[in-house]
Amino acid sequence: SRHPVITDLYDEEEGWKPTHIKLADEADLLLIAPLTAHTLAKLAHGLADDALSCIALALNPKAKVLLAPAMNGKMWLHPATQQNVATLKARGAEFIGPEEGMLSCGYEGLGRLWNVEQIAARALEMLV
C-alpha cells in the first residue's frame, strides 16, 4: 500500500500522541484478516498488549468492525471461541467466514480464511 505500518505499541508520529490512539480515533473501519483464535479472544476480553489490540480497544465508537477468522476447525468450533464470537457480535462486530477447505495445519474442514477479494468487497460495502 506504500503507507506506513505500525508495528510497535509505542510508535509515535507527533512526539506525544501514540499512533495507535490517532489511528483508533480516525478509523471508519477496523478489518482484521486473518483473525486468529488468540486475537479473537483478546478482542472479546478487552486485552490490549500490542498495537492491533490497543487500536481495537480505543476504536472510535462509530467505526465498523469486520473480522475474518482463520484457524483450525476444532479451535473455531470450541465453545470458548464461539462465546467470544457471540460477545463480539453483540458489540456490533461483523464476521465474514470462516469457510471450509484445506487448513494450514493440514486438516480439511471449517476454519479457512474467506476469499480475500470477497473480504475486501465487504469492507468497501461497509464504508459506503
Side-chain angles (χ1 to χ4, degrees):
S1 71
R2 296 196 170 109
H3 294 285
V5 176
I6 305 306
T7 59
D8 188 290
L9 181 57
Y10 300 104
D11 283 343
E12 295 179 5
E13 290 179 356
E14 298 177 18
W16 64 270
K17 188 173 186 181
T19 301
H20 67 277
I21 299 299
K22 180 177 183 276
L23 291 172
D25 287 346
E26 295 175 354
D28 295 317
L29 172 72
L30 176 64
L31 166 62
I32 303 177
L35 175 71
T36 64
H38 182 80
T39 300
L40 180 116
K42 285 172 40 172
L43 296 176
H45 294 279
L47 302 175
D49 63 353
D50 59 23
L52 177 60
S53 57
C54 283
I55 290 168
L57 195 60
L59 192 62
N60 165 10
K62 294 179 183 176
K64 297 175 181 171
V65 177
L66 180 59
L67 305 171
M71 63 193 75
N72 173 275
K74 291 181 283 187
M75 294 171 74
W76 173 251
L77 294 171
H78 191 280
T81 302
Q82 290 304 302
Q83 181 60 54
N84 291 336
V85 169
T87 296
L88 293 171
K89 284 182 176 181
R91 291 186 199 149
E94 181 177 322
F95 283 78
I96 186 166
E99 66 180 8
E100 296 216 15
M102 182 58 70
L103 308 176
S104 65
C105 61
Y107 291 1
E108 190 159 333
L110 185 61
R112 184 177 176 83
L113 181 67
W114 202 260
N115 176 282
V116 173
E117 289 79 18
Q118 291 175 338
I119 294 169
R122 180 65 191 127
L124 288 174
E125 289 172 4
M126 292 175 75
L127 290 173
V128 177

